[in-house]
Amino acid sequence: MTSAVSAQEKPLVEKRITYNDSIARWFVGASVGWSLVALLLGVIVALQLAFQGANVHPMLSYGRLRPLHTNAAIFAFVGNMLFAGVYYSTQRLVKARLPSDTLAKVHFWGWQLIIVSAALTLPLGFTQGKEYAELAWPIDIAIAVVWVVFAINFFWMLANRAEKHLYVAVWFYIATIVTVAVLHIVNSLVIPVGLLKSYSLFGGAQDALVQWWYGHNAVAFFLTTPILGIMYYFVPKAADRPVYSYRLSIIHFWALVFVYIWAGPHHLLNTALPEWAQSLGMVFSVMLWAPSWGGMLNGLFTLRGAWDKVRADPILKFFAAGVTFYGMATFEGPLLSIRAVSGLAHYTDWIVGHVHSGALGWNGFMAAGMFYWMVPRLFGTKLHSTRLAELHFWIGTIGILLYMVSMWIAGVTQGLMWRAADSEGTLVYSSFVETVIAIRPMYYMRLIGGLMYLTGMIMMAYNLFVTAKSGAPVDGEATVVVPEAEPEVKWSRLIAGRPVIVSAVVLGLLIMFGRGNVLTSVAFLVLLVAVGAGALFIEAISKRSAEPTWHRLLEGRALLFTVLTVGAVLIGGVVQIIPAVLIAPEKAEEGGETRLASPLEIAGRDIYIREGCYTCHSQMIRPFDFEAKRYGDASTIADSRFDHPFQWGSKRTGPDLAREGRKNPNAWHYLHFMNPPELSPGSNMPSYKHFETGKVDFADTESSLRALKAVGVPYSVEQVQRAPAAAKKQAETIVKDLAEQGITVAVDSEMVAIIAYMQSLGLPPEQEAAPASPTQVNASGLR
Amino acid sequence: MSRMMGELFQSSPLLIWPVISLSIFLLTFLAVLVVTLRKKPGELDPLAALPLADDENARQP
């Protein structure tokens, strides 16, 4: 397949090229290393949920480690894995060497640096408080830069290709690169308040929509599409036979890319989101089942007639199981998107189990299969031990199954307990902690599953290490037919090349799009489409000038596909959320007045975000009777209007806090934060003793309020200026109330600020956040 | 039905955007589907074989 003709009118020559495989070796090494870190963090947070005492230090408590675990798994483990797979397979599929080794190095080291800075900042409490997008704004900028570097190198490689057909895997990679860039930029729009602190541009329902549009599509385009590309390359290679149906793969690609981006709102079912957006999300999620299973069957059928090989080869076993887990996860996903099912499953551990069947089963096993296949080839040797790999497979599989089963039981149990009511309609389990205690055995079972999976990965790391040691680096080679004297890529060409310019223009337009109002946004969208169409037109013209050979037509079509993908993903994804995003503030206004948080409460909310309380607590009461009984009236869009970022949450390891204000006295909160299990025996909420010693600088509240004012929270100039004084005054009333209960805390302690925030949640606008009425508190708890 | 739609659009005029984008999606997808299904058997085989014939050096010994 190296006979493709180039479009240029230069004489053709045969040439030997040597691929840049060292970049693949590095990324594999990094991925294997980080996978152990990510999984170890997973085991630690699993232990912390089962055993509260495992929260040994403020920096290592659950709320801070959980974001680190998810970020490490997604961006460090899977990220490095997908870069390895993309670089290795694309060079071979398009018969072109990576154009710039320097850019590849920048990509590799830049990405590792980002991961290391995440590992430092998250435990220190620097976070944006939005799931899977927690990293502080300077790191976000670094991610954008590194991603663009990756994109330039990748598209440059495509421009240089000697194989004019683009294999389906490459389409998946293209969709990944383009979409992730868009998602990342839109979701990272923030107003910086300090070097590592910022408030998101969007607030409340708007922010929720953008966040879950991002979160959902991050799963789609970071954890799914690139891995599907990897599947379409490595499964045929490992099985030594072409994909079952190439036709199906084309349909799979288009259907998946289109449908996926529309399904985002299924994360916000039964919330204050507009009805039609919820229905749309549900319908598309159910539709998503078809392309997902098309892809799964295509992968599995590729192994048809090779089942004897699967029995003997751990690589094929990993691929077969990985694809099967993909099928399971994509069956469960649409199911969970049905409103009624979501009503039961949302906020519970069922969702956690669902995610892990994807992460451990699909991502983890596809990674393992790819590594076992690649590493011996990258080092010109044989796998050290097939039996050890075989053992890894079985221990990993049992680990995942334990994980999924335990989380399913835990989720369904807790979901049912939350809604259980007797014949009079009173809640059977009115104390939340009862529902925590009930599922504790499942938490231990999950821990065992996770430990088994980690053990398997350690075996893999050892096996691959010894394999690499026993060989020496080998770079793949191929003979290609290219125009004579294809010049080395120069920096000037690299920067002024068409792909770079087009991507820069598109990126710029996108930023404008994200920043604009209705009219300008639409204008920029039209412009975006125009740029895409223009690029297409130029492409078509430049093709027509040469003789239209069969190859050239196909080549044109491949590029057409590329441009169409870009357009399709952007249009579908961006347009869908615009109406809801634009209408949200209006709807919120209609919903009535919203209380403005006081400066001290804002300081408390900063602490809430820093500690990752949102990883265990939601602030979104759904419109169900049993939720109203437990937590109070259903949340409205107006309630969270001024929350930048929104704090709706996605998991209730602890109770909803949307209407926590005045439920408990200040002294109760104090004792609870000092040691939750003492007030609520069986609680797995970490202790926050450091709130007593941590200090709030009242002077900082002024810049916080100013930033919030800048993103649209209606503070008056006077309120901003007087913020420090107001904060101090409010703190003094709380200190006084606590003193009456015999508790002494400093006025500027974090304890006072967080209590002020707790007492403000869900209060109607006109009320002052005065201390709750003093009530006798004792160690056995009040409620 | 049309009255319901009318009311829906009135309450949320921006709804036209997702509707347009959905239509684009459906049309493009149908086009891809038709083009793909009209391919003759065997026409796509060279493409499907791409991953299998790419490397001359890195065969496992």
Side-chain angles (χ1 to χ4, degrees), chain A residues 401-663:
Chain A
L401 291 178
L402 274 181
Y403 196 114
M404 282 168 62
V405 170
S406 58
M407 287 301 96
W408 187 82
I409 298 176
V412 174
T413 306
Q414 207 177 22
L416 290 175
M417 286 176 87
W418 287 344
R419 60 173 66 203
D422 61 21
S423 52
E424 258 115 80
T426 341
L427 294 177
V428 180
Y429 309 99
S430 57
S431 157
F432 189 93
V433 77
E434 286 178 81
T435 73
V436 178
I437 295 166
I439 59 173
R440 176 151 292 137
M442 292 300 114
Y443 278 173
Y444 276 110
M445 188 163 147
R446 180 248 306 263
L447 178 63
I448 294 170
L451 268 172
M452 289 178 75
Y453 195 90
L454 172 61
T455 310
M457 290 298 274
I458 294 173
M459 291 172 173
M460 179 188 80
Y462 167 79
N463 205 350
L464 294 179
F465 181 75
V466 178
T467 305
K469 272 280 188 193
S470 74
V474 197
D475 291 339
E477 285 177 32
T479 308
V480 296
V481 181
V482 288
E484 204 175 18
E486 177 73 26
E488 287 289 301
V489 181
K490 281 193 223 81
W491 268 98
S492 52
R493 261 191 80 200
L494 205 66
I495 289 165
R498 216 191 304 167
V500 183
I501 290 176
V502 170
S503 54
V505 170
V506 168
L507 227 76
L509 283 176
L510 267 169
I511 291 175
M512 304 304 280
F513 169 81
R515 299 227 135 196
N517 58 21
V518 193
L519 274 178
T520 52
S521 283
V522 170
F524 281 119
L525 193 76
V526 172
L527 222 72
L528 260 173
V529 176
V531 169
L536 235 150
F537 186 68
I538 291 171
E539 209 55 65
I541 296 274
S542 59
K543 289 286 117 52
R544 210 161 295 140
S545 61
E547 274 175 70
T549 66
W550 184 75
H551 278 299
R552 266 172 220 176
L553 278 178
L554 253 186
E555 175 193 357
R557 196 168 304 167
L559 282 163
L560 189 84
F561 268 133
T562 314
V563 180
L564 272 178
T565 315
V566 179
V569 167
L570 286 182
I571 294 171
V574 175
V575 167
Q576 178 215 354
I577 65 159
I578 299 176
V581 166
L582 289 177
I583 264 174
E586 232 173 89
K587 284 262 170 297
E589 231 165 298
E590 285 166 22
E593 294 270 300
T594 306
R595 185 177 173 280
L596 271 181
S598 76
L600 186 65
E601 291 153 17
I602 292 295
R605 206 190 57 152
D606 285 349
I607 297 167
Y608 185 88
I609 293 170
R610 180 191 75 194
E611 296 297 341
C613 308
Y614 64 87
T615 59
C616 282
H617 291 286
S618 60
Q619 289 187 25
M620 171 50 63
I621 303 167
R622 297 177 296 172
F624 297 136
D625 215 30
F626 61 91
E627 298 238 327
K629 287 213 179 79
R630 189 179 292 277
Y631 304 122
D633 295 342
S635 293
T636 67
I637 245 185
D639 288 341
S640 53
R641 186 168 158 214
F642 298 140
D643 265 348
H644 297 255
F646 79 113
Q647 291 300 323
W648 292 7
S650 66
K651 174 73 175 64
R652 283 183 189 153
T653 301
D656 189 279
L657 297 178
R659 308 215 182 276
E660 178 64 20
R662 303 196 169 170
K663 253 188 209 164

Side-chain angles (χ1 to χ4, degrees), chain A residues 1 16 19 88 92-93 95 163 165 167 232-233 236-237 240-243 246-247 250-251 254-255 258-259 262 276 284 376-377 380-383 474-479 518 522 525 557 571-572 575 579 582-583, chain B residues 8 11-30 32-61:
Chain A
M1 286 310 303
R16 278 304 276 165
Y19 298 125
Y88 184 90
R92 286 162 170 78
L93 283 170
K95 294 271 183 314
E163 169 58 64
H165 306 90
Y167 183 65
Y232 275 119
Y233 179 81
K237 272 213 105 68
D240 204 18
R241 57 189 62 213
V243 63
Y246 196 78
R247 202 182 283 213
I250 299 175
I251 298 171
W254 286 97
F258 272 124
V259 180
W262 282 74
W276 64 265
F284 271 86
R377 284 163 180 82
T381 180
K382 280 174 86 124
L383 186 63
V474 197
D475 291 339
E477 285 177 32
T479 308
V518 193
V522 170
L525 193 76
R557 196 168 304 167
I571 294 171
V575 167
L582 289 177
I583 264 174
Chain B
L8 209 61
S11 70
S12 183
L14 287 160
L15 204 57
I16 191 70
W17 288 99
V19 171
I20 291 175
S21 124
L22 185 61
S23 317
I24 297 176
F25 150 56
L26 278 175
L27 287 177
T28 317
F29 183 71
L30 282 178
V32 171
L33 197 69
V34 169
V35 169
T36 310
L37 291 180
R38 284 186 52 187
K39 291 254 186 265
K40 287 179 207 76
E43 204 179 322
L44 293 170
D45 288 355
L47 279 165
L50 275 176
L52 299 177
D54 61 3
D55 218 342
E56 292 153 31
N57 189 355
R59 294 241 166 254
Q60 204 171 359

Side-chain angles (χ1 to χ4, degrees), chain A residues 69-225:
Chain A
H69 161 64
T70 51
N71 277 283
I74 299 171
F75 300 110
F77 171 30
V78 180
N80 281 309
M81 172 254 181
L82 81 87
F83 295 139
V86 168
Y87 279 134
Y88 184 90
S89 61
T90 311
Q91 293 187 79
R92 286 162 170 78
L93 283 170
V94 305
K95 294 271 183 314
R97 190 186 192 280
L98 205 57
S100 167
D101 292 351
T102 316
L103 286 186
K105 274 183 199 147
V106 172
H107 178 191
F108 179 81
W109 289 111
W111 197 256
Q112 310 316 314
L113 203 69
I114 287 164
I115 296 168
V116 170
S117 50
L120 292 176
T121 51
L122 289 177
L124 285 170
F126 298 107
T127 170
Q128 291 191 18
K130 291 169 73 165
E131 282 180 78
Y132 325 124
E134 285 94 346
L135 301 177
W137 65 269
I139 307 180
D140 269 348
I141 293 177
I143 293 175
V145 170
V146 171
W147 197 262
V148 168
V149 165
F150 171 43
I152 290 173
N153 222 0
F154 180 84
F155 284 110
W156 205 265
M157 175 161 56
L158 294 198
N160 282 352
R161 70 194 195 274
E163 169 58 64
K164 292 308 171 189
H165 306 90
L166 290 183
Y167 183 65
V168 64
V170 181
W171 304 357
F172 277 105
Y173 301 157
I174 293 171
T176 302
I177 293 176
V178 173
T179 317
V180 169
V182 178
L183 295 170
H184 176 67
I185 290 173
V186 176
N187 197 44
S188 301
L189 295 173
V190 293
I191 294 274
V193 187
L195 186 58
L196 292 169
K197 183 179 159 188
S198 60
Y199 292 130
S200 51
L201 194 62
F202 305 113
Q206 236 181 348
D207 200 35
L209 261 169
V210 174
Q211 158 65 20
W212 283 112
W213 174 74
Y214 161 86
H216 169 77
N217 287 306
V219 171
F221 290 92
F222 203 92
L223 299 175
T224 308
T225 52

Side-chain angles (χ1 to χ4, degrees), chain A residues 668-703:
Chain A
W668 186 89
H669 282 295
Y670 170 85
L671 292 175
H672 187 243
F673 283 130
M674 293 303 282
N675 192 11
E678 206 177 306
L679 281 204
S680 305
S683 174
N684 57 5
M685 174 162 151
S687 305
Y688 291 97
K689 293 196 173 69
H690 61 283
F691 286 167
E692 219 181 9
T693 44
K695 294 285 179 239
V696 173
D697 190 346
F698 292 136
D700 287 347
T701 56
E702 192 179 333
S703 55

